[in-house]
């Protein structure tokens, strides 16, 4: 067959919403062409009369799935009745139950391993659970072959426990999420893609290695993707589309290529990591959205975690508070209010002290957040609004802007926005200036893929330096030990960009309070036509 990619759709818990799922699939196929198969993990059947009525239409042939659909077995006692046996079978035209566990190999050579249900907590195991015997019956025949390199796809309904180690945090309570047996299974089977559901959320982990660097031969990476429930009200992603060339037809050197954002294997943690994990479960800020509507601007508010009593209405989220004095919290007595240009609901703009240029501005959260990756969704949303307002403002002045953030030896997030005249240099020149200066300092700036979120690369607490160019390109450096504090300014002040080397250090550019007030008033008036906060 040669290297022919297979076009695959994967889906989270369907819970009986068959029409919603298949309508969505049809829409996608109209736009992008036919897919080869749809793989469903989690709970496929629903328990409501509506779900039962929908299923009957497919079962009787009144309706037909628009794609070959492969599903896992029951994940709860209530849905067991929909599966006639533990072995796989066709349940309706184009809808196939894979079975309790096994390996399915398509005509293309694509190899899919699967395990239905949840890990059994007792013997004999209920019908919707798998046992250690099921797993060894799946693993042994595969791994006993000396040619075994891994499977293309692994389908489990439960998450693997600890998959988030060394990576971005999911929106789940990691104390209770996932199965250790599934984690061991994933470690042994080395899937290129591993899909799971049941947690009602979407989580795409950074790819991880299946070998120890410099100690073992390079192997392919694995990607874990958890999917949400079909048609969930929060609009979390429940369908994932991808192309995959089966491992057996791939060029081995292509197969083992490592992406830039690859991490260590989460299932092979050292003993130290394992003891650390027990002592330091992540705090609740990773599981809950920190930023519901605030009740005012800059009042003395405190962050109340997620402690609300049963029966009482949930209190609105408060801004997080600093542990000591902070120069940038809007409610703080230390903040220099004469530098403020605009105040939104969650963010504000301020003139940079000792700015590189007269229009050098900071975007700051009103509440106390240390970095962009700590922000709640509505703060991020408003920050994006400010970014686009500033982009339009600078454009009207014949300038493009560069944004950078240093999350290192800083207490409160400051997103620096610096305009560069369009006739001075191109975006490509600016990008090159950052790359060259980073190399000179033995730092490797990496480019973040277009649709990758910073949170996926830098979990909260990671020191980093980050640049965003007006083309949408993003550069990232994970700070190891030391980092030149003025690095961002030095690059922009350099000959290659603004050519004002004497202004690299803000302390050398300080103005008197009167000058600052004058500059700020001027800037506030200039920016007003672009200021969405002014309209509120």
């Amino acid at each position: 067959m040669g290297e022919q990619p297979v076009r695959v759709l994967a889906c989270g818990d369907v819970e009986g919403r068959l029409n919603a799922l298949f309508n969505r699939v049809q829409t996608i196929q109209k736009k992008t062409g036919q897919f080869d198969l749809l793989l469903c993990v989690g709970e496929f059947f629903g328990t409501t009369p509506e779900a039962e009525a929908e299923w009957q239409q497919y079962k009787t042939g009144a309706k037909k799935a628009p794609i070959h659909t492969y599903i896992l077995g029951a994940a709860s006692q209530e849905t067991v009745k929909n599966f006639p046996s533990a072995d796989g079978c066709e349940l309706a035209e184009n809808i196939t139950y894979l079975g309790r566990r096994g390996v399915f190999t398509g005509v293309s050579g694509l190899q899919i391993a699967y395990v239905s249900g949840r890990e059994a907590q007792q013997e004999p195991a209920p019908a919707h659970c798998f046992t250690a015997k099921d797993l060894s019956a799946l693993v042994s025949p595969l791994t006993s072959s000396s040619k075994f390199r891994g499977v293309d796809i692994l389908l489990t309904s439960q998450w693997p426990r600890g998959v988030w180690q060394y990576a971005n945090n999911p929106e789940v309570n990691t104390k209770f999420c996932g199965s250790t047996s599934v984690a061991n299974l994933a470690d042994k089977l080395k899937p290129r893609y591993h899909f799971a559901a049941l947690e009602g959320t979407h989580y795409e982990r950074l790819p991880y290695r299946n070998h120890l660097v410099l100690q073992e031969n390079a192997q392919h990476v694995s990607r874990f993707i958890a999917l949400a429930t079909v048609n969930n009200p929060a609009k979390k992603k429940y369908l994932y589309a991808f192309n995959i060339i089966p491992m057996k037809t791939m060029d081995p050197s292509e197969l083992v290529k490592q992406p830039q954002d690859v991490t260590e294997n989460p299932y092979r943690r050292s003993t130290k990591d394992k003891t650390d994990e027990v002592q330091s479960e992540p705090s609740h800020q990773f599981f809950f959205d920190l930023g519901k509507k605030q009740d005012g601007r800059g009042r003395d508010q405190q962050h109340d975690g997620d402690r609300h009593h049963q029966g009482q209405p949930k209190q609105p989220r408060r801004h997080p508070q600093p542990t000591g004095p902070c120069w940038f919290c809007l409610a703080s007595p230390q903040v220099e209010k004469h530098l403020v240009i605009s105040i939104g609901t969650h963010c504000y703009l301020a003139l940079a002290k000792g700015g590189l240029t007269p229009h050098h501005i900071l975007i700051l959260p009103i509440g106390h957040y240390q970095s962009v990756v700590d922000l709640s969704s509505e703060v991020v949303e408003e920050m994006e609004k400010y970014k686009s307002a500033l982009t339009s403002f600078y454009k009207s002045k014949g300038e493009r802007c560069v944004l950078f953030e240093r999350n290192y030896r800083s207490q409160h997030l400051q997103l620096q926005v610096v305009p560069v005249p369009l006739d001075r240099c191109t975006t490509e020149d600016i990008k090159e200036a950052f790359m060259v200066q980073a190399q000179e300092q033995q730092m490797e700036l990496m480019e973040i893929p277009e649709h990758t979120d910073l949170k996926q690369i830098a979990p909260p607490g990671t020191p980093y330096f980050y640049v965003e160019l007006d083309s949408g390109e993003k550069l990232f450096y994970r700070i190891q030990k030391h980092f030149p504090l003025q690095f961002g300014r030095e690059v922009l002040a350099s000959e290659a960009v603004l050519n004002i080397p004497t202004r690299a250090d803000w302390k050398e550019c300080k103005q008197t309070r009167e000058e600052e007030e004058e500059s700020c008033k001027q800037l506030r008036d200039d920016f007003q036509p672009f200021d969405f906060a002014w309209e509120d």
Side-chain angles (χ1 to χ4, degrees), residues 143-286:
T143 55
S144 59
S145 158
S146 59
K147 289 183 179 157
F148 179 73
R149 287 180 295 176
V151 296
D152 290 302
I153 298 170
L154 173 62
L155 307 177
T156 63
S157 286
Q158 266 184 306
W159 286 33
R161 177 121 183 83
V163 66
W164 47 84
Q165 301 295 334
Y166 305 137
N168 41 320
N169 278 290
E171 289 174 8
V172 294
N173 188 333
T174 48
K175 272 188 182 169
F176 304 109
C177 174
S179 149
T180 308
S181 300
V182 172
N184 292 336
L185 178 71
D187 188 26
K188 291 194 173 83
L189 293 188
K190 305 183 178 72
R192 290 162 68 200
Y193 285 87
H194 178 181
F195 294 96
L198 297 184
E199 295 293 337
T201 194
H202 165 241
Y203 171 61
E204 198 164 330
R205 191 204 185 281
L206 293 170
Y208 63 84
R209 289 188 193 96
N210 281 300
H211 64 277
L212 288 171
V213 179
L214 303 178
Q215 293 176 43
E216 296 173 327
N217 288 340
Q219 295 185 45
H220 60 270
V221 299
S222 291
R223 288 176 163 83
F224 172 73
I225 295 130
L227 293 161
T229 313
V230 168
N231 253 17
N232 63 87
K235 300 214 172 346
K236 290 181 175 170
K237 186 170 180 171
Y238 64 84
L239 261 183
Y240 182 92
F242 64 111
N243 289 350
I244 182 169
I245 294 170
M247 200 185 287
K248 54 164 54 169
T249 64
M250 261 188 97
D251 180 322
S253 63
E254 277 299 306
L255 179 65
V256 302
K257 277 190 175 163
Q258 306 290 302
Q260 272 191 321
D261 52 357
V262 68
T263 77
E264 293 302 326
N265 187 316
Y267 312 125
R268 302 189 198 170
R269 280 144 39 234
S270 66
T271 331
K272 178 186 175 300
D273 286 347
K274 286 180 183 173
T275 49
D276 280 357
E277 187 205 358
V278 175
Q279 289 159 6
S280 63
E281 281 295 333
S283 73
H284 52 237
Q285 73 178 28
F286 300 145

Side-chain angles (χ1 to χ4, degrees), residues 332-435:
S332 156
Q334 287 85 10
V335 79
E336 297 196 55
K337 293 206 165 59
H338 68 285
L339 296 172
V340 175
I341 292 159
S342 165
I343 303 177
T345 313
H346 309 286
C347 301
Y348 72 101
L349 297 185
L351 182 70
K353 219 171 167 51
L356 271 164
T357 73
H359 289 164
H360 179 171
I361 289 174
L362 306 179
I363 308 178
L364 304 130
I366 290 171
H368 188 76
Y369 294 94
Q370 185 166 346
S371 69
V372 163
V373 298
D374 293 311
L375 297 178
S376 65
S377 56
E378 50 261 278
V379 185
V380 170
E381 211 173 295
E382 192 170 87
M383 198 165 261
E384 290 301 324
K385 274 175 85 173
Y386 267 128
K387 280 186 197 175
S388 99
L390 285 170
T391 304
S392 308
F393 167 60
Y394 291 134
K395 202 171 179 181
S396 74
K397 304 263 180 208
E399 298 168 322
R400 62 166 53 89
C401 63
V402 181
L403 290 92
F404 69 88
E405 180 202 357
R406 185 193 79 224
N407 179 28
Y408 171 72
R409 290 178 57 183
S410 56
Q411 195 194 357
H412 187 112
L413 158 63
Q414 302 153 56
L415 198 57
Q416 312 257 353
V417 192
V418 181
V420 177
L422 290 170
D423 56 8
R424 268 224 59 87
C425 52
T426 66
T427 305
E428 206 45 53
D429 295 331
I430 299 170
K431 182 179 171 183
E432 194 183 347
F434 273 103
M435 291 296 206

Side-chain angles (χ1 to χ4, degrees), residues 24-143:
R24 182 85 187 98
V25 168
Q26 273 180 310
T27 308
I28 291 171
Q29 297 202 123
K30 268 185 196 145
K31 272 191 200 161
T32 64
Q34 194 69 26
F35 277 78
D36 298 299
L37 65 163
L38 166 64
L39 306 171
C40 298
V41 289
E43 204 65 279
F44 184 75
F45 290 100
T47 52
T48 63
E50 296 83 7
E52 187 54 42
E54 276 190 34
W55 169 236
Q56 284 309 317
Q57 292 183 297
Y58 290 89
K59 199 174 173 180
T60 57
K63 282 190 171 177
K64 179 186 162 185
I67 183 170
H68 287 298
T69 304
Y70 297 90
I71 72 171
L72 292 182
S76 66
Q77 199 55 54
E78 297 83 285
T79 56
V80 168
K81 63 179 190 301
N82 295 294
F83 298 91
S85 75
D87 300 316
C89 58
E90 193 175 78
L91 300 177
E93 191 180 354
N94 261 1
I95 300 178
T96 303
Y97 163 47
L98 286 166
R100 192 184 179 102
R101 44 105 184 122
V103 180
F104 167 75
T105 306
V107 283
S108 60
L110 191 71
Q111 200 174 44
I112 303 169
Y114 57 89
V115 178
S116 289
R118 298 174 187 266
E119 185 176 356
Q121 302 301 320
Q122 76 240 37
E123 287 284 351
H128 67 283
C129 294
F130 62 82
T131 62
K133 275 187 192 149
D134 287 313
L135 299 188
S136 57
L138 172 59
V139 170
S140 302
L142 288 168
T143 55

Side-chain angles (χ1 to χ4, degrees), residues 434-444:
F434 273 103
M435 291 296 206
V436 169
Q437 289 222 24
Q439 273 174 336
E440 282 172 10
Q441 313 239 18
Q442 271 84 50
M443 300 185 305
E444 194 185 351

